[in-house]
Amino acid sequence: MKESEEIIKPDSQHFIEQAIEKDLAEGKNGGRIHTRFPPEPNGYLHIGHAKAICLDFGMAEKYGGRCNLRFDDTNPTKEDVEYVDSIKEDIQWLGFTWEDREFYASDYFGKLWDFAVSLIKRGLAYVDDQSAEAISEQKGTPTQPGTESPFRNRSAEESLDLFYRMNEGEFDEGSRVLRAKIDMASPNMHMRDPIIYRILKTPHHRTGTEWKVYPMYDFAHGQSDYFEGITHSLCTLEFEVHRPLYDWFIDQLKTDDYRPRQIEFNRLNLTYTVMSKRKLLELVRDGVVNGWDDPRMPTLCGLRRRGYTPESVKRFVDLIGYTKVEAINDVSLLEYAIREDLNRRAPRVFGVLKPLKVTITNYPSDKVDHMEIENNPEDETHGKRLVPFSRDIFIEQDDFMENPPHKFFRLAPGQEVRLKGAYIIRCTGVVKNGAGEVTEVHCTYDPETRSGGPQADRKVKGTLHWVSAAHALDAEIRLYDRLFSDEDPSGHKDTDPREFLNPGSLTVMKGCKVEPSLADAEPLDRFQFQRVGYFCVDYDSRPGSLVFNRTVQLKDTWQKINK
RNA sequence: UGCUCCGUGGUGUAAUUGGCAACACGCCUGACUCUGGAUCAGGAAAGUCUAGGUUCGAGCCCUAGCGGAGCAACCA
């Protein structure tokens, strides 16, 4: 009688949700929630960015707010429109939208300039004429305070004049910078009169040659947040020490109660790969992989080409959570996420990677039958398809052994197996080549055992996938393994991650045989090759020369037993 | 010899905010199965980095230590 008392325990909240709810409860920022995803357009997005994207857009969604897309394009020497487009594509692929809120830090160059001018006038910024080396030396070290620049106390008028001339192109790159005047003795290195503007004469991908000075990250990020009305600026842990500076600039800028708040969370690390843009760029540049979208890459375009679904990526991100602990997440959890998703939605088909010819000696040579086979045993609404069956078929080489070990449930001389969706066959003999290798297997079939037939329920140990030799389509199948053989390739101080590159990360299989229903498969179509794994049609695939990528193997108990 | 952050099964996270350490992945058993997949049932696995303290009671609060990470680009 107490059914209604069942305890509905809300999902536990991570620390950022807790912080947001506390801000909401305290009535901060008028109850508004506004986040932003701020990539620098200098590379392709990877799964670590997906973690940030899911948080930024996810928090906005959950609390009825908005999330802006903002390109952090303050360094024209590294950035390019090529990246802008790919970033937008990847965010959309994940299923998030920024609607019309596509912004650029470069949109604010004017406002940022005005703010810098204001700081100079208030005696809070100055132009420093020293070299990068001199400034760096005066900065001190984490354990020693810095010393003040000889230009630190020059007049606001002089700094202002110089700052204007810097932007007119009068001075060379590196000859002068604008610095915030804070505290050269601060225990926080970032507060030791940080450089906020530098001279850069490379044209900017959006503003061209309009500017000769560009704001540094620290001078652009918080202020951009402020200009956009961002309430929660979520970023990764390494920016923790930047937060006092973020707050310092906001303090100089704010005019009322509104203020954006930076909160840091742990970056995503995955086992057996590298995640820094720099290292990924090197792999691409040096041809270690075939581009940013190589299916072995942890980039979103790589995962997409590999056959990952956006849902599986989001599910994975959801599983790992957000904390402040620097963790390394197991790729096998990612693989679990894609298997879970594809198990539910991927149509089953037959694909034979290493074909072994089987002749069913008592099956008429001119007969072709069509077997009706379910597309997905998990969900009968996926319907059925017809698969041609004939006297000559291919099975997987691994599914036959002349001298099988104990517990080998597959085909062997004298043994019976079921051909999935067709008949039970018995091996009656083998044909060998000169080297003594089995090149063909002879079997007989039992017509009574046809699926749905009178003897269909007869138990046999194994069920094999197969394709009719005359009807099968040739395919190239690319098998992928981990790019690195070490769990944490960048975790070794004195060893280049490349020392751990896995030479077998790509295996190209040619002459594979797949069932004819795959003739019209298009790039990115996903299938389960039954008993083998999940596969996805590659961009290189053409009608008549199909190419598949293996997304992930099926769990394979037999393989495990054999180890 | 500084500052900031972080230490919970193998891994990633929880713990009603001071009240019986839980969940997922992985692993092991068994059942079922026309995928050695999936599914279902069960199991092993941490006593919360260490030492003190506060408290009736500490994973949670305090102190000290140990360990790890980040911080000295005119990168973000």
Side-chain angles (χ1 to χ4, degrees):
Chain A
M1 300 299 120
K2 297 199 171 183
E3 292 164 24
S4 60
E5 277 186 26
E6 98 182 76
I7 301 161
I8 298 163
K9 207 172 168 183
D11 286 341
S12 63
Q13 297 172 327
H14 56 69
F15 76 106
I16 293 174
E17 290 170 317
Q18 292 179 15
I20 289 174
E21 294 203 4
K22 189 155 177 280
D23 287 345
L24 248 18
E26 290 170 1
K28 285 188 184 164
N29 303 317
R32 258 182 342 106
I33 297 298
H34 204 148
T35 58
R36 101 272 90 113
F37 173 62
E40 183 187 14
N42 69 342
Y44 285 74
L45 259 30
H46 54 63
I47 191 166
H49 294 106
K51 177 173 177 176
I53 290 167
C54 290
L55 217 218
D56 292 330
F57 286 92
M59 289 301 93
E61 216 165 79
K62 174 166 181 179
Y63 295 105
R66 300 174 194 284
C67 179
N68 295 355
L69 169 60
R70 182 173 70 233
F71 290 98
D72 224 331
D73 57 348
T74 58
N75 186 351
T77 67
K78 290 191 172 177
E79 297 150 6
D80 198 277
V81 280
E82 170 198 357
Y83 299 120
V84 169
D85 296 336
S86 76
I87 288 169
K88 290 200 278 189
E89 185 185 351
D90 287 343
I91 299 170
Q92 283 169 327
W93 177 69
L94 280 175
F96 294 107
T97 175
W98 53 92
E99 296 170 319
D100 58 346
R101 296 180 308 280
E102 175 181 330
F103 301 123
Y104 294 79
S106 54
D107 294 340
Y108 313 125
F109 283 171
K111 283 175 156 180
L112 258 9
W113 167 271
D114 293 343
F115 180 46
V117 166
S118 154
L119 288 180
I120 296 171
K121 287 180 177 166
R122 285 188 269 164
L124 294 174
Y126 60 97
V127 170
D128 195 328
D129 299 354
Q130 301 180 100
S131 67
E133 298 71 42
I135 290 174
S136 165
E137 262 172 48
Q138 289 164 8
K139 200 133 197 180
T141 70
T143 56
Q144 292 169 296
T147 52
E148 298 187 349
S149 162
F151 298 95
R152 193 174 202 258
N153 293 311
R154 78 159 129 218
S155 70
E157 291 69 30
E158 192 182 359
S159 279
L160 214 45
D161 174 58
L162 257 11
F163 190 43
Y164 272 95
R165 287 159 64 194
M166 280 164 65
N167 195 38
E168 272 149 22
E170 188 174 332
F171 308 122
D172 290 337
E173 287 188 12
S175 64
R176 268 171 247 262
V177 289
L178 184 69
R179 293 227 257 167
K181 193 189 287 187
I182 306 180
D183 177 9
M184 289 305 292
S186 171
N188 184 335
M189 297 290 290
H190 297 279
M191 299 299 272
R192 319 239 263 228
D193 287 12
I195 292 166
I196 59 179
Y197 265 96
R198 75 293 211 190
I199 300 170
L200 252 27
K201 295 187 174 174
T202 307
H204 186 279
H205 67 103
R206 294 189 82 239
T207 61
T209 54
E210 185 184 349
W211 299 89
K212 297 290 184 292
V213 293
Y214 290 88
M216 299 285 289
Y217 165 83
D218 284 308
F219 194 71
H221 202 96
Q223 288 88 306
S224 300
D225 285 343
Y226 184 84
F227 298 144
E228 292 179 14
I230 300 304
T231 58
H232 298 269
S233 185
L234 312 175
C235 62
T236 46
L237 247 25
E238 67 269 27
F239 292 102
E240 214 151 22
V241 287
H242 292 242
R243 193 169 68 228
L245 183 55
Y246 180 101
D247 287 336
W248 191 88
F249 287 127
I250 298 296
D251 284 338
Q252 311 313 318
L253 192 56
K254 71 194 278 277
T255 56
D256 57 21
D257 282 347
Y258 156 65
R259 71 148 52 227
R261 173 184 179 189
Q262 175 179 305
I263 303 176
E264 311 84 11
F265 61 92
N266 61 345
R267 177 180 283 281
L268 170 63
N269 295 301
L270 260 193
T271 53
Y272 300 104
T273 191
V274 295
M275 205 69 91
S276 88
K277 271 189 197 172
R278 201 198 84 234
K279 287 174 186 142
L280 294 174
L281 176 62
E282 284 172 9
L283 295 176
V284 173
R285 193 195 52 207
D286 300 344
V288 174
V289 295
N290 303 313
W292 285 99
D293 68 348
D294 187 298
R296 292 166 291 181
M297 293 280 274
T299 49
L300 293 179
C301 51
L303 290 168
R304 177 160 67 232
R305 187 171 186 177
R306 176 81 172 252
Y308 275 81
T309 59
E311 290 78 8
S312 69
V313 172
K314 288 193 278 192
R315 169 85 172 125
F316 170 69
V317 164
D318 200 46
L319 286 168
I320 62 179
Y322 298 88
T323 68
K324 300 188 74 144
V325 184
E326 296 190 45
I328 178 156
N329 294 275
D330 204 325
V331 264
S332 59
L333 192 62
L334 214 210
E335 293 172 343
Y336 161 76
I338 187 60
R339 280 198 197 99
E340 178 188 59
D341 191 25
L342 259 19
N343 179 49
R344 198 165 42 78
R345 62 209 289 186
R348 271 58 170 176
V349 295
F350 292 154
V352 176
L353 269 50
K354 286 188 287 177
L356 173 64
K357 192 178 176 194
V358 172
T359 302
I360 300 167
T361 52
N362 61 338
Y363 197 88
S365 59
D366 56 346
K367 184 177 175 187
V368 176
D369 204 348
H370 290 272
M371 303 301 176
E372 193 178 56
I373 302 179
E374 60 200 343
N375 287 323
N376 188 337
E378 303 294 311
D379 183 352
E380 62 180 39
T381 65
H382 287 222
K384 296 181 174 180
R385 68 187 187 287
L386 295 176
V387 182
F389 181 83
S390 62
R391 174 185 168 97
D392 294 323
I393 62 170
F394 291 115
I395 65 166
E396 207 70 65
Q397 274 177 31
D398 291 346
D399 284 339
F400 175 82
M401 283 186 97
E402 196 179 9
N403 300 297
H406 185 54
K407 289 212 167 181
F408 183 79
F409 298 161
R410 308 177 185 182
L411 196 62
Q415 286 193 14
E416 277 190 330
V417 293
R418 167 169 292 284
L419 294 177
K420 171 83 181 172
Y423 302 96
I424 290 173
I425 57 171
R426 177 185 299 278
C427 175
T428 55
V430 299
V431 178
K432 294 185 184 181
N433 63 14
E437 298 158 339
V438 175
T439 55
E440 188 183 332
V441 176
H442 285 349
C443 292
T444 55
Y445 85 112
D446 177 354
E448 300 288 295
T449 60
R450 181 180 174 133
S451 294
Q455 293 285 316
D457 291 337
R458 232 180 75 205
K459 300 292 176 210
V460 287
K461 289 176 288 189
T463 301
L464 308 187
H465 59 283
W466 51 272
V467 290
S468 167
H471 305 85
L473 270 20
D474 276 310
E476 172 181 324
I477 297 182
R478 300 172 184 168
L479 306 181
Y480 300 100
D481 196 356
R482 307 176 157 156
L483 231 200
F484 295 87
S485 51
D486 186 85
E487 263 205 356
D488 188 12
S490 16
H492 303 265
K493 281 194 174 67
D494 303 313
T495 314
D496 189 289
R498 300 222 206 163
E499 302 282 317
F500 303 107
L501 274 170
N502 173 10
S505 62
L506 169 63
T507 306
V508 178
M509 311 273 297
K510 306 234 184 196
C512 306
K513 301 286 185 181
V514 301
E515 66 171 63
S517 72
L518 258 17
D520 301 323
E522 297 192 6
L524 262 30
D525 281 352
R526 292 176 274 252
F527 302 93
Q528 185 198 94
F529 286 5
Q530 212 146 33
R531 299 206 312 131
V532 181
Y534 292 101
F535 293 79
C536 159
V537 181
D538 190 76
Y539 301 125
D540 293 340
S541 193
R542 298 285 177 275
S545 66
L546 298 167
V547 181
F548 294 89
N549 293 320
R550 184 175 67 194
T551 308
V552 65
Q553 281 180 282
L554 247 32
K555 282 213 258 176
D556 189 344
T557 309
W558 172 241
Q559 197 177 326
K560 211 173 352 181
I561 291 170
N562 267 327
K563 267 199 258 178

